[in-house]
Amino acid sequence: MFRSKLLFISLLCTTLLIGCAPQSSSNQTLPDKPKEINASYVSRPINIPSVVAKEKQMFEEEFAKDGIEFKWHDIPVPSNQLEALAGKSLDFSNSLNYVSVILAKASGNDIKVVSSYSHFPKGISLVVTPNGSISSIADLKGKKIALQKGTMLHEMLIRALAEVNLTTQDIQLVNMDSTAAATAIAAGHVAATILPEPLLSKTVATGKVKKLRSAEGLISGLTVIAVRNEFAQTQPELVKRFLKVHKASVNWSETNLEEAFAMTAKQNQLDIKGVKNLYPEFNFDMSLNDVKADLQASATFLQKEGMIRPDVDINKLVEDLVDPSYLPTT
């Protein structure tokens, strides 16, 4: 009888201890995987990795393993991509220009830069009408110039003007996207604009504009892959897998260049020779090694120019913005 009581008390204490013990982290509720992943699709200037990935359905096949539907959204305008990220209708933004990213972050858009997409400063140029009235940047004073504000093209213009002691107050700046700007300068409605490839080559080929100054030495021509911070925090493994697939598309493109050129030419309605000529101007390295320094320099410049509020801590902004921890290690 006494032994039976001792056994009962021992079992009771063991049960109570187990019940009071902290739960294993493995039993904690993990966020459910999303039913779909949404990413922006930008095929221009010549975004070969994205074209290849879409053509070969690389992302669709990867995430279908988990029953997740992957959806591309054709959103070429940076401001529209950022609006979609803020509204949670987009999870990833591909080929987003670095100035738009900085300004969005400074305005409270909670995003992360998780990879570089491309660098192409040689593929951007300030162009003017070929009538001879503009032969240098200094000649832009008082002229009407069209470009999309809040982009790397805007920063390039500011930096080019600064080289000759001019500011945007010395010109007439008209806000419009690059396609509209190309049409406007060809029609003689504006005196200058800044165009990226392949629109740059197409417009110059008409004979209605000429190159005056490339972006090389002015801006990095950087585009990045950005993700909603909430998505990155709750689905870190999916972000890592996304970047692994992107890397696979870069690697496949490099190994199968001719096929990648053909896909890109068809998608962007370009001559394949044009794609081959432009390809050397683009670097699709995903590394973020120099990106923080580039963003730091740009953000400091933009703040000085009044495009970022003076109370914004630039160091903290860039530190919060760039996260290389999701990049593939192999």
Side-chain angles (χ1 to χ4, degrees):
M1 182 79 167
F2 179 71
R3 287 182 179 176
S4 297
K5 285 183 177 180
L6 283 177
L7 180 59
F8 173 76
I9 292 170
S10 176
L11 289 172
L12 179 62
C13 290
T14 302
T15 303
L16 288 171
L17 286 171
I18 291 173
C20 294
Q23 295 296 308
S24 168
S25 61
S26 62
N27 292 330
Q28 291 178 350
T29 303
L30 297 175
D32 293 333
K33 288 182 178 177
K35 294 181 179 179
E36 61 185 39
I37 293 175
N38 296 279
S40 63
Y41 178 68
V42 184
S43 63
R44 296 177 180 271
I46 54 163
N47 288 344
I48 293 176
S50 293
V51 172
V52 166
K54 186 178 182 183
E55 186 74 18
K56 296 180 69 62
Q57 296 195 318
M58 297 171 78
F59 287 99
E60 290 88 340
E61 291 178 6
E62 172 63 25
F63 293 112
K65 298 172 186 176
D66 297 282
I68 301 172
E69 183 180 5
F70 182 85
K71 294 182 178 179
W72 286 112
H73 299 269
D74 195 347
I75 311 177
V77 180
S79 59
N80 292 346
Q81 290 187 47
L82 290 163
E83 183 179 346
L85 285 170
K88 301 183 181 181
S89 59
L90 205 62
D91 303 307
F92 291 91
S93 180
N94 280 314
S95 191
L96 188 59
N97 82 81
Y98 70 98
V99 171
S100 294
V101 169
I102 292 170
L103 296 179
K105 182 69 173 178
S107 298
N109 197 332
D110 195 12
I111 54 179
K112 286 285 185 185
V113 169
V114 292
S115 173
S116 173
Y117 187 92
S118 69
H119 291 79
F120 59 103
K122 293 181 181 178
I124 304 169
S125 185
L126 190 153
V127 297
V128 299
T129 52
N131 58 16
S133 63
I134 303 174
S135 58
S136 69
I137 300 296
D139 295 331
L140 293 175
K141 186 173 183 179
K143 299 294 193 299
K144 190 178 289 186
I145 303 174
L147 53 76
Q148 190 165 4
K149 293 181 179 179
T151 65
M152 69 172 83
L153 308 183
H154 193 178
E155 183 182 355
M156 177 189 165
L157 175 64
I158 294 171
R159 288 185 179 275
L161 292 172
E163 288 185 332
V164 293
N165 297 316
L166 294 178
T167 72
T168 52
Q169 299 300 312
D170 296 307
I171 62 167
Q172 299 176 57
L173 187 58
V174 182
N175 186 28
M176 62 177 68
D177 65 42
S178 294
T179 301
T183 301
I185 192 171
H189 299 318
V190 297
T193 186
I194 298 177
L195 300 176
E197 293 289 7
L199 186 58
L200 172 61
S201 292
K202 276 187 172 182
T203 308
V204 170
T206 66
K208 295 180 179 180
V209 303
K210 66 178 182 179
K211 294 181 182 180
L212 184 65
R213 174 78 159 85
S214 83
E216 195 170 17
L218 291 173
I219 59 172
S220 64
L222 170 70
T223 61
V224 299
I225 296 176
V227 61
R228 288 191 299 112
N229 192 31
E230 181 187 6
F231 186 93
Q233 289 180 335
T234 58
Q235 306 292 340
E237 293 306 312
L238 293 184
V239 177
K240 291 178 181 179
R241 284 169 63 186
F242 181 96
L243 294 182
K244 281 186 178 180
V245 176
H246 177 70
K247 184 178 181 182
S249 71
V250 174
N251 292 342
W252 189 93
S253 302
E254 292 173 348
T255 306
N256 303 272
L257 267 181
E258 289 300 322
E259 194 172 348
F261 288 156
M263 290 178 185
T264 305
K266 181 179 179 181
Q267 172 63 41
N268 288 347
Q269 298 180 332
L270 295 170
D271 185 278
I272 194 167
K273 290 182 179 178
V275 175
K276 289 181 178 180
N277 289 336
L278 291 175
Y279 180 70
E281 297 180 0
F282 289 77
N283 179 349
F284 295 105
D285 179 22
M286 295 173 63
S287 171
L288 288 171
N289 290 343
D290 300 321
V291 168
K292 276 191 177 182
D294 288 343
L295 296 182
Q296 182 84 37
S298 179
T300 301
F301 178 82
L302 293 170
Q303 189 175 56
K304 181 182 176 182
E305 292 296 321
M307 297 176 71
I308 296 176
R309 297 191 321 272
D311 62 317
V312 173
D313 185 332
I314 296 300
N315 291 329
K316 186 176 186 301
L317 182 149
V318 175
E319 192 63 34
D320 288 347
L321 181 58
V322 182
D323 189 346
S325 67
Y326 302 95
L327 284 170
T329 55
T330 57

